[in-house]
Amino acid sequence: MESLYQHFASVLDRYYQPNTTLPSMAKIVLAFSGGVDSRLLLELLRRYQQAQSIACHAVYVHHGLSVNADSWASKCLLWAEDAGISCSVEYVSLDLSSGESVELLAREARYQALAKYVNAGDLLLTGQHADDQIETFLLALKRGSGPKGLSSMAESMAFSGGQIVRPLLCVKREQIEAVAHQLGLEWVEDESNQDTRYDRNFLRHRVVPELSQRWPSIHQSVQRSASLCAEQESLLDELLNTAFEYALLNDLSLSIDALETHSQLARARLIRMWLAKLNANMPTQAQLNLIWNEVALAQQDANPKLQLKQGEVRRFQKRLYWVTETADVSMWQNTIQTDLPVVLPERLGELTLCSTSSEANIALPSKPELLRITFNPEGLSARPSTRNHSRKLKKLFQEYNVPSWLRRQTPILMYQDQVVAVAGLFVDQAFSGKDCELVWRKSL
């Protein structure tokens, strides 16, 4: 037990940084299923919390897939209370008619639920261990994955403004169970874990035990191969980073002209880097070919797009755009004051009327308290300071090459019923001056 705790504590010490800009808010969140892995993590976290005096919270995600789920949730609440760690139960529902595997649906729903509890500087602890790593590696091999997939699970990765950390990733399942028995811990057993119709369970019960018996060092070998694949992925990104920064434009679109200067292999990698930056699922090799041949290289007058799982890749003005389904914000409005950032809806970033900017180009009106933000261009006209006549915003968006799907996602600064400025595009001539600048900081 002691050596395992020391390993656990050393992993957390590497990633938990109480001296961040938000020290009072940084906390550790445990993904708590009640299985032996997370049950042991709760016990280790109890001791770590006492030693470090930090905020911890456990979350049980109730998928509703088992008749025992309510009982498991109750046990998790009780165990967390005994450990002195607060605990929440998150209920999720799965669309079992979607055609996706239950495993994938449950995993996606679980992480969406957990993301609600993770903020900047927080750590999310999950219980994956060395046997899980072998299973993940073999599943990637079965799918024909390249180095990205074969790198399997990292000890840590960015998640919802914080990080996922897997403190047990180098620890075998048998070690975890031995320590749990030694401590006299109780845990839940999910009956679905015995169902070998699921690929992961088939590997767990039929394949990995045979591999371990034949090659006792298989866990370390897989971990080493996964780490080497991850290193190769990092090296590729490092070598192509300059080219990627050149191809990536300010609005997070990707320049087709820049992509055309590279080989097919480098171009495919740059597109993958772009989608990774936008937190999209990685496309298959066939989808990568379609992105280039059917979207990027489509006829000039076409409006091509490729539907992927989480969104669409579209082309506009020799650029590739990643477009996700967005809520209608045309009815949203908010007042704005100088130098006080306004958080925009639907992760559209924040808007600031910056009075200290060296590029100030707006003159404040006589009653600045009447300034407001809207996203609805319907019926509005403006006269950019570089134009001789006013035009409907619909026409101006076209002239300024704003893609159709972004025209109701672009903030408009209003004074009463007059357009003052459109963020990132222009200032109306009637409000041209040197008092402030409208700064739009976009979110990914």
Side-chain angles (χ1 to χ4, degrees):
M1 166 61 183
E2 191 59 31
S3 62
L4 182 59
Y5 175 75
Q6 294 303 325
H7 169 75
F8 172 85
S10 67
V11 172
L12 264 60
D13 288 345
R14 282 202 297 274
Y15 299 106
Y16 183 73
Q17 299 178 358
N19 295 322
T20 62
T21 56
L22 299 171
S24 62
M25 297 179 64
K27 63 183 181 299
I28 296 178
V29 179
L30 172 63
F32 190 32
S33 69
V36 64
D37 318 317
S38 63
R39 183 69 181 89
L40 181 58
L41 278 180
L42 179 73
E43 181 62 21
L44 295 170
L45 187 59
R46 177 196 63 77
R47 181 171 168 183
Y48 189 80
Q49 178 184 238
Q50 292 174 349
Q52 302 294 331
S53 299
I54 58 177
C56 298
H57 188 74
V59 182
Y60 174 85
V61 179
H62 190 304
H63 298 94
L65 294 174
S66 171
V67 295
N68 298 310
D70 289 336
S71 172
W72 296 340
S74 298
K75 289 181 178 181
C76 286
L77 289 170
L78 180 62
W79 291 330
E81 182 181 1
D82 289 344
I85 294 175
S86 58
C87 184
S88 300
V89 177
E90 276 288 318
Y91 292 85
V92 299
S93 57
L94 309 182
D95 181 8
L96 300 179
S97 64
S98 66
E100 295 284 3
S101 73
V102 175
E103 295 167 289
L104 177 62
L105 291 171
R107 182 168 63 252
E108 291 183 345
R110 181 163 60 252
Y111 280 110
Q112 286 176 9
L114 292 168
K116 301 176 185 178
Y117 295 85
V118 180
N119 301 309
D122 293 347
L123 301 185
L124 172 64
L125 304 190
T126 60
Q128 289 97 347
H129 46 68
D131 293 77
D132 292 322
Q133 185 76 309
I134 291 184
E135 295 160 13
T136 301
F137 185 89
L138 292 174
L139 287 170
L141 195 63
K142 184 221 32 160
R143 291 191 297 266
S145 300
K148 178 70 173 176
L150 294 174
S151 60
S152 304
M153 295 180 288
E155 185 178 73
S156 72
M157 60 180 289
F159 178 76
S160 189
Q163 288 187 87
I164 289 177
V165 176
R166 302 178 174 98
L168 304 179
L169 197 58
C170 294
V171 183
K172 294 182 181 180
R173 179 184 287 110
E174 62 182 10
Q175 295 173 271
I176 292 170
E177 292 179 350
V179 173
H181 281 298
Q182 178 187 337
L183 295 174
L185 300 180
E186 296 179 65
W187 60 85
V188 303
E189 293 284 358
D190 189 338
E191 66 277 3
S192 68
N193 288 338
Q194 304 302 317
D195 190 345
T196 55
R197 289 176 300 175
Y198 298 123
D199 288 344
R200 187 173 287 275
N201 289 342
F202 172 75
L203 292 172
R204 181 174 303 164
H205 297 293
R206 303 269 188 89
V207 177
V208 174
E210 290 287 332
L211 294 177
S212 299
Q213 185 174 359
R214 179 65 180 251
W215 299 298
S217 62
I218 188 68
H219 295 78
Q220 296 93 321
S221 297
V222 166
Q223 186 65 53
R224 185 166 59 251
S225 291
S227 297
L228 289 172
C229 287
E231 288 177 7
Q232 293 301 309
E233 285 292 291
S234 297
L235 178 59
L236 282 172
D237 286 348
E238 182 180 326
L239 294 174
L240 284 173
N241 190 58
T242 300
F244 178 66
E245 289 181 350
Y246 179 76
L248 185 69
L249 303 174
N250 290 335
D251 60 357
L252 301 179
S253 63
L254 201 62
S255 167
I256 293 174
D257 286 339
L259 292 175
E260 284 181 320
T261 65
H262 294 280
S263 68
Q264 179 182 350
L265 289 174
R267 187 166 60 235
R269 181 70 188 189
L270 290 169
I271 293 174
R272 285 181 179 273
M273 291 171 68
W274 172 60
L275 292 172
K277 183 176 181 66
L278 296 169
N279 298 316
N281 282 350
M282 285 299 98
T284 64
Q285 191 64 46
Q287 289 170 332
L288 274 175
N289 291 334
L290 289 174
I291 288 172
W292 184 248
N293 295 315
E294 303 294 331
V295 180
L297 300 184
Q299 293 182 355
Q300 193 63 35
D301 58 351
N303 184 27
K305 60 184 178 182
L306 177 67
Q307 181 70 49
L308 300 177
K309 183 178 178 182
Q310 297 171 307
E312 297 174 337
V313 178
R314 295 192 183 187
R315 187 198 68 187
F316 182 80
Q317 297 289 331
K318 296 287 285 182
R319 300 180 182 185
L320 292 177
Y321 287 86
W322 174 244
V323 182
T324 56
E325 185 177 348
T326 54
D328 182 5
V329 295
S330 58
M331 299 302 293
W332 185 91
Q333 293 192 51
N334 204 85
T335 58
I336 186 169
Q337 302 175 41
T338 54
D339 301 317
L340 291 178
V342 173
V343 177
L344 302 174
E346 299 299 322
R347 296 180 58 83
L348 289 172
E350 65 178 30
L351 206 63
T352 307
L353 268 175
C354 186
S355 64
T356 58
S357 172
S358 59
E359 299 180 17
N361 54 4
I362 295 175
L364 290 172
S366 58
K367 296 181 178 179
E369 66 273 10
L370 298 181
L371 288 168
R372 61 187 172 88
I373 307 164
T374 182
F375 285 93
N376 189 359
E378 197 70 37
L380 298 179
S381 299
R383 181 183 175 184
S385 55
T386 56
R387 305 294 177 90
N388 295 323
H389 305 284
S390 65
R391 301 202 71 182
K392 293 287 188 183
L393 282 193
K394 178 180 178 180
K395 293 294 184 182
L396 288 171
F397 277 137
Q398 292 174 353
E399 292 180 22
Y400 279 88
N401 294 324
V402 178
S404 58
W405 60 87
L406 294 180
R407 292 172 190 172
R408 288 180 178 263
Q409 303 282 309
T410 301
I412 304 166
L413 181 63
M414 301 288 297
Y415 179 66
Q416 297 177 329
D417 61 349
Q418 296 175 272
V419 174
V420 177
V422 177
L425 297 183
F426 62 80
V427 175
D428 188 273
Q429 190 175 79
F431 295 91
S432 181
K434 295 293 184 182
D435 291 333
C436 56
E437 179 191 7
L438 186 64
V439 179
W440 182 15
R441 292 183 176 88
K442 300 180 182 181
S443 300
L444 284 182

